[in-house]
Amino acid sequence: MERTFAIIKPDAVERRLTGQILGRIEGSGFTIRAMRFEHLTRADAEGFYAVHRGRPFFRALTEFMSSGPCVVLALEAPDAIRKWRDLMGATDPAKAAPGTLRKEFGSSIERNATHGSDAPETAAFELGYFFRGMDLI
Ligand code: CMP
């Protein structure tokens, strides 16, 4: 078993897509280990996306991610990191494969509906950023 970290981003929550996305997550065989609504502050978003500091999209990204509530999740499945990235599809919804969440629900590279960890080290950092060990038992 592996765990990964996921976000249903503010664009998807605002468009009332949370239920559909959770259905796709469970329907794809993930166990939801922890989940909550979280309205990030700008500082929360900057800390979470610290690896992107200095990129041209950093300011807009952190502004968007703190613009409304999102849903943060710990997902568990065999090969969860790859499996969740496959279900989300490419970062840019325009390039995402048919049937993926970003293709279906994303509207731009920034407002792309979901986030997922890209490697085991990132998953460990991101899970720890939002959840206490106690939440993940
Ligand atoms: P996410 O998986 O949350 O990780 C970083 C986010 O930055 C990414 O999804 C995109 O929503 C956002 N982003 C905005 N512009 C770009 C860009 N040009 N390249 C990569 N990511 C971008």
Side-chain angles (χ1 to χ4, degrees):
M1 278 297 171
E2 186 176 65
R3 284 180 185 177
T4 192
F5 174 75
I7 302 179
I8 303 176
K9 293 190 179 185
D11 57 317
V13 172
E14 187 185 4
R15 293 173 57 211
R16 301 181 179 172
L17 297 169
T18 302
Q20 284 189 64
I21 293 174
L22 290 175
R24 293 281 295 275
I25 287 170
E26 292 197 316
S28 303
F30 290 98
T31 300
I32 298 172
R33 278 283 166 209
M35 172 171 71
R36 70 171 185 273
F37 269 110
E38 188 78 59
H39 191 148
L40 304 186
T41 63
R42 189 69 177 267
D44 293 336
E46 288 176 356
F48 180 72
Y49 281 120
V51 290
H52 296 304
R53 194 179 282 280
R55 307 276 291 272
F57 56 84
F58 183 73
R59 188 188 166 92
L61 172 65
T62 53
E63 196 172 302
F64 161 62
M65 289 300 290
S66 55
S67 66
C70 61
V71 178
V72 294
L73 296 136
L75 304 180
E76 188 174 87
D79 204 14
I81 295 171
R82 187 196 55 77
K83 197 173 147 78
W84 173 236
R85 292 179 68 77
D86 287 351
L87 181 59
M88 289 193 297
T91 306
D92 184 353
K95 296 179 184 152
T100 60
L101 296 174
R102 284 166 166 168
K103 182 71 173 184
E104 219 164 304
F105 302 127
S107 40
S108 70
I109 194 164
E110 182 180 280
R111 301 173 75 88
N112 63 352
T114 55
H115 166 85
S117 312
D118 60 7
E121 310 74 53
T122 335
F125 166 75
E126 294 181 350
L127 286 166
Y129 195 81
F130 284 104
F131 296 110
R132 302 173 302 169
M134 235 172 94
D135 298 328
L136 293 168
I137 289 166

